[in-house]
């Protein structure tokens, strides 16, 4: 699952939750700050606008599988309900979709050639391994980073 929704409940008022978020989210660092390896000052970076926010974990390296977290706040009688959506970046989904399609294409043609007796079984190993590795990479990298 490359997109997941969760809901959290807090006893804090909506304004207090916004204040806590503001204290723990820094603005996104510029490319220059990233190249200079300027350390993040908070655990998250992103934006907060009224009762919505868009954040990512602040890290010192590049990780394409780091999910974006979209959130919204809803005031309730007993506090605040926080709606979260974790989502992998669109570029990564598109790139991996193209890559898996390409490898899958070669896997299918390898299977056809093997069934026709024109190829050895070993020709199935490389595209099959690359296909399984691609699925494993997307699923487990995203799941690890989401948790």
């Amino acid at each position: 699952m490359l997109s997941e929704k969760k809901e959290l409940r807090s006893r804090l008022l909506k304004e207090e939750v916004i204040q806590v978020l503001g204290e723990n989210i820094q603005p996104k660092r510029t490319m220059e700050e990233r190249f200079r390896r300027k350390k993040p000052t908070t655990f998250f970076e992103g934006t907060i606008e009224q009762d919505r926010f868009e954040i990512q974990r602040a890290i010192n390296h590049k990780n394409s599988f780091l999910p974006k977290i979209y959130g919204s706040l809803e005031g309730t009688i007993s506090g605040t309900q926080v709606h979260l959506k974790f989502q992998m970046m669109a570029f990564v989904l598109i790139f991996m979709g193209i890559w898996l399609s390409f490898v899958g294409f070669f896997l299918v043609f390898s299977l056809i050639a093997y069934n026709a007796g024109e190829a050895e079984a070993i020709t199935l190993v490389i595209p099959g391994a690359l296909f399984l590795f691609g699925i494993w990479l997307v699923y487990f990298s995203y799941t690890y980073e989401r948790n």
Side-chain angles (χ1 to χ4, degrees):
M1 178 184 267
L2 301 176
S3 179
E4 182 179 345
K5 292 182 180 181
K6 288 189 177 184
E7 289 187 10
L8 303 173
R9 296 173 199 258
S10 172
R11 292 185 178 160
L12 298 174
L13 296 173
K14 188 162 110 174
E15 294 76 22
E16 294 172 314
V17 172
I18 292 171
Q19 180 182 350
V20 170
L21 284 171
E23 293 168 358
N24 291 287
I25 299 172
Q26 71 181 34
K28 283 192 81 103
R29 290 172 289 161
T30 63
M31 288 302 259
E32 182 181 340
E33 290 172 324
R34 288 184 188 278
F35 284 131
R36 292 181 186 217
R37 298 272 191 202
K38 183 179 179 187
K39 293 205 181 250
T41 57
T42 61
F43 197 65
F44 293 99
E45 61 184 16
T47 58
I48 306 171
E49 294 177 7
Q50 296 176 335
D51 61 349
R52 297 190 179 282
F53 58 91
E54 183 179 315
I55 59 175
Q56 273 187 308
R57 195 163 48 95
I59 57 175
N60 277 332
H61 56 279
K62 182 66 179 158
N63 184 346
S64 298
F65 296 100
L66 194 65
K68 269 199 178 221
I69 305 168
Y70 299 92
S72 63
L73 306 173
E74 180 183 332
T76 63
I77 295 171
S78 60
T80 305
Q81 189 163 2
V82 183
H83 304 277
L84 300 172
K85 181 179 180 185
F86 299 82
Q87 190 169 350
M88 187 179 285
M89 290 188 286
F91 173 78
V92 175
L93 288 173
I94 292 167
F95 176 81
M96 290 306 295
I98 292 169
W99 189 71
L100 287 171
S101 297
F102 185 71
V103 172
F105 176 78
F106 281 104
L107 180 59
V108 167
F109 278 102
S110 296
L111 280 167
I112 292 170
Y114 175 72
N115 284 337
E118 297 174 7
E120 298 292 325
I122 193 72
T123 59
L124 301 173
V125 173
I126 292 174
L130 286 173
F131 191 80
L132 291 175
F133 175 74
I135 291 172
W136 177 87
L137 181 67
V138 170
Y139 180 77
F140 287 106
S141 297
Y142 171 76
T143 303
Y144 175 78
E145 287 297 340
R146 184 194 66 220
N147 293 333

